[in-house]
Amino acid sequence: MMQTCQQMMKTLFPKKQQAFPGKPKSVSRIRFGRVLVWSLLLSAAFMPASAGYAGQKQPQKKPARSQLVVAGSVSCKTTFAAPLARQFAKKYDMKVKVYSGGSETGIFAVYARAADLAISSRPLTEDERKAGLQDTVIAYDAIAVIVHENNPVQNLTLKQLNKIFRHKIKSWKKLGWKDAPISVILPDTSSGLRKVFLQTIMRGKKIKVKIKEGLSTYGAIALLQKDSTGIAICSLSQAHYAHIKPIAVNGVTPNFDTLAEGSYPLQAPICLVTYGRPNLETRRFVAWITRGPAEKLLAKSFLVPREQGAYFSE
C-alpha cells in the first residue's frame, strides 16, 4: 500500500511538474497540497483491518461515511464555509473537512486532486479553465479598504488608491491628515481578495510601493491594528474588528445595500471551484448551495447571494 501511495504522490506532484497555468509561486502552497494528499492517503493506508480467528463471527460495522474535502479562502471559512459544511454533513450523513489557506491554495489543491472543492474569492483565469477547472459564482463580497481607528480620513477614490500603490502619494498629508508616510498592508499572495483588489485599482500599472504582508486577511488586520498610519484591505465581514474602520471608496460606504445595488466599486465574486467531472458528493454540495439553503447564511456574512440555476445536477 505504501508503494501505491508513493506512486500516487509522484503522479500528483512529479519533481519536474509541468507549469500549471496560474499556479501559486509560493512553495508553501505546493506543500499544502502535498500534506493534504499524504494525510488522505496515509489515513487509508493504515486503516485498521478486521482481526479475528478463522470462522469467528465478526461484528457488523456501519458502512464508512462519504467524505468531502473543501479548501480555499480564509475569510470565507469561518463566516459561511464551515457552518454550511456542518449543515450539509448533517443532511447527507457524511464527513466534510474544511481547510483554509487562501484562494490560490484552494484552487491548486483542487487541481492537484488534494481537495474536492475550493472556495475562492476570485474568478478563475482562462488558462485555469483550459486546464480543466470550473468555477461557479455563488455570491459577491465587498473588498473593504480599512485604516486605523485613529485615522480621520473617511474616503478615498480609486484614483487615489492607484497613486498610493504607484508611490505617487506617499504621505497622509496629501489626503487630509498629518504628514506621515502611508504604510501599505496587504494579505499574502494566496489571497483572492488581494488579486481582485489590485486588478481593479491598478489597471495594468506596476506596483511601486513597498508592501507589508500579513498571513491572510486576518494577518493584514492584525498588522493594521498596531499601525496607526497603515492602510489595508479585508472582506466586509471582517471590517468590524477592534482598532480598525472601513472607509468609503469613491464616496460610497461598503455595506450590504451598496454591494447589492452595485454602487460600491470594489467587489469580489465568491466562487466554488471544481475539477473536471466532480464526484457525487461535490455535485450535491454545489447544487445544494446554489439552490437556496445558503442564502440566509451568505447574507448574514454581508455577502450578496447570486441567484442562478443549478450548475451541477445530482
Side-chain angles (χ1 to χ4, degrees), residues 106-127:
I107 291 170
F108 184 56
V110 170
Y111 177 75
R113 319 299 195 278
D116 300 300
L117 179 77
I119 297 178
S120 171
S121 50
R122 71 161 177 87
L124 293 176
T125 64
E126 287 304 313
D127 285 339

Side-chain angles (χ1 to χ4, degrees), residues 266-300:
L266 294 174
Q267 301 187 14
I270 304 301
C271 307
L272 302 181
V273 178
T274 55
Y275 183 88
R277 174 67 175 173
N279 58 31
L280 176 61
E281 290 76 18
T282 304
R283 298 200 305 273
R284 277 180 174 170
F285 187 76
V286 175
W288 183 72
I289 290 180
T290 56
R291 287 173 183 168
E295 187 170 336
K296 289 184 179 179
L297 189 54
L298 291 172
K300 190 176 180 180

Side-chain angles (χ1 to χ4, degrees), residues 184-202:
V184 178
I185 303 168
L186 285 179
D188 64 274
T189 55
S190 68
S191 169
L193 286 182
R194 169 181 169 144
K195 188 167 186 176
V196 174
F197 172 75
L198 292 177
Q199 286 176 339
T200 304
I201 69 164
M202 298 309 295

